[in-house]
Amino acid sequence: MQITEEQKRILDSFTCERLSSNPDNLREVENFCNLRNGSLEHTLKDTAYAEDEANHIAYYLIKDADGNILFYFSLKCGMLYDNLDQEEQLRKLNGLFRFLVELENDSSSTVEDRQTINSILESIRTRKGLVKEDLAKISPIKKNQLLEELEKEPTDHLKRVGKTFAGIEIVHFCANDACRMLWDEFHFQQKMGAVIFWHFVVPKICEAKKLIGCQYLFLFAADLTPDELLINYYETFLGFHSSNERGTAIPFYDYACKFMYQEINGIEERRERFYRDFNPDEESL
């Protein structure tokens, strides 16, 4: 059943405020508490204000009509990518193969050079890989030529990928356990995180896509539970999914997390669907 006017009125009485827009927030966040993930609480209290002020990460506080902090989330730009496709990998391999053939036929190559290069060519044909012992048999001049060819991949710390996709990362997404009783008093049938996501986070994403190109919204789910409760929550209520179809750079502190994403295209329609199904039908109660 659709969201009621009274429920809309309550949600519209909440505010979504940039953390550093109000110096009083430095004091107010001291009462924030999260029992499930203490690091999210400490981030808000210790480093978030400076990061928000420097525009490195945008932090938002969700407050009720009385100014109580119910929730906070943060956003920053990011990027997803496809790995080089098989066609590109084959093209590179074909280039190396042709170079080795030319090297083998070079008049300056010794008999042992030709034998070793032929062995390397056979390794490529059979996909066995390059053996160090083979390289050691080649004369220094030919060995240097081969190494130069193999090392043509740039060493500029750039990752060569197939295609890139602009994205926005939800860096933090955290409820204030100290105010859960206040949330419960509203008697919403929806979970707090789901309401915050669709009512406050998604509009920020829609604003951003009017200014910049962005295809994906993504996050790293910190879920180490055997039954993956948090991951299932993000899938069921927020519309994220995990897949190897896309990749991204993952920071060290997120190594144990699950990479999840969803397409931004169509997110407004999914938001409207959330409002249409905001309250369970009487038959399902």
Side-chain angles (χ1 to χ4, degrees):
M1 190 171 72
Q2 191 162 332
I3 188 171
T4 67
E5 289 300 318
E6 175 61 14
Q7 289 170 330
K8 277 185 182 179
R9 186 195 64 77
I10 293 172
L11 291 179
D12 289 340
S13 73
F14 294 175
T15 57
C16 181
E17 180 181 297
R18 273 292 286 264
L19 175 61
S20 62
S21 67
N22 183 356
D24 290 341
N25 287 331
L26 276 169
R27 171 178 46 82
E28 293 176 9
V29 298
E30 288 303 314
N31 296 320
F32 193 97
C33 170
N34 187 272
L35 302 175
R36 178 178 292 180
N37 191 335
S39 66
L40 294 175
E41 174 187 333
H42 297 317
T43 295
L44 180 62
K45 295 177 179 179
D46 298 337
T47 61
Y49 195 94
E51 289 179 329
D52 186 71
E53 198 170 36
N55 290 312
H56 295 165
I57 302 175
Y59 287 83
Y60 296 91
L61 301 178
I62 305 301
K63 298 181 180 181
D64 67 11
D66 295 321
N68 299 297
I69 300 175
L70 303 176
F71 207 97
Y72 91 90
F73 66 90
S74 69
L75 305 172
K76 72 175 183 179
C77 294
M79 185 180 70
L80 285 72
Y81 62 80
D82 280 343
N83 285 313
L84 286 170
D85 57 25
Q86 190 175 21
E87 182 180 346
E88 174 65 12
Q89 294 177 25
L90 289 173
R91 186 191 64 76
K92 285 190 170 187
L93 194 61
N94 184 53
L96 175 61
F97 192 89
R98 288 175 179 274
F99 173 79
L100 286 167
V101 170
E102 292 175 5
L103 205 61
E104 183 183 28
N105 295 327
D106 192 321
S107 59
S108 64
S109 296
T110 65
V111 173
E112 188 172 15
D113 284 342
R114 292 192 178 93
Q115 289 175 343
T116 304
I117 291 169
N118 187 60
S119 174
I120 294 172
L121 285 168
E122 184 59 27
S123 294
I124 293 176
R125 288 192 194 97
T126 56
R127 301 190 179 187
K128 292 178 181 176
L130 196 58
V131 183
K132 286 185 177 180
E133 287 75 8
D134 286 340
L135 281 176
K137 297 175 186 175
I138 303 179
S139 60
I141 294 177
K142 298 300 174 186
K143 181 179 178 180
N144 289 336
Q145 286 180 267
L146 179 55
L147 287 175
E148 285 176 9
E149 183 68 21
L150 290 172
E151 292 172 359
K152 275 186 177 178
E153 278 296 314
T155 56
D156 51 12
H157 301 292
L158 298 178
K159 181 178 178 63
R160 269 63 187 179
V161 298
K163 185 178 180 181
T164 60
F165 306 90
I168 297 174
E169 178 185 354
I170 299 178
V171 188
H172 306 94
F173 191 73
C174 185
N176 185 3
D177 288 332
C179 288
R180 281 196 180 272
M181 288 181 65
L182 295 176
W183 176 263
D184 293 340
E185 290 176 4
F186 298 123
H187 302 293
F188 291 135
Q189 298 298 311
Q190 295 284 347
K191 296 180 180 295
M192 189 196 307
V195 175
I196 299 301
F197 176 77
W198 292 108
H199 197 75
F200 293 103
V201 178
V202 170
K204 295 296 180 188
I205 305 305
C206 294
E207 287 176 28
K209 76 187 187 79
K210 293 177 182 177
L211 302 173
I212 57 173
C214 46
Q215 292 177 257
Y216 289 97
L217 180 63
F218 68 98
L219 52 78
F220 298 103
D223 187 354
L224 300 178
T225 60
D227 46 6
E228 297 188 328
L229 283 174
L230 186 60
I231 291 171
N232 291 329
Y233 172 77
Y234 286 149
E235 286 181 344
T236 304
F237 297 101
L238 308 189
F240 288 91
H241 66 277
S242 57
S243 168
N244 293 325
E245 185 181 353
R246 299 280 181 264
T248 191
I250 182 168
F252 179 75
Y253 53 80
D254 280 331
Y255 271 18
C257 299
K258 188 85 167 181
F259 171 54
M260 306 183 75
Y261 60 92
Q262 62 176 289
E263 286 194 46
I264 291 175
N265 184 37
I267 202 166
E268 295 100 328
E269 289 81 0
R270 296 195 290 278
R271 182 174 184 245
E272 290 304 316
R273 191 184 313 136
F274 172 76
Y275 289 134
R276 286 199 303 271
D277 300 332
F278 194 85
N279 296 295
D281 294 327
E282 293 183 3
E283 302 84 50
S284 62
L285 294 177

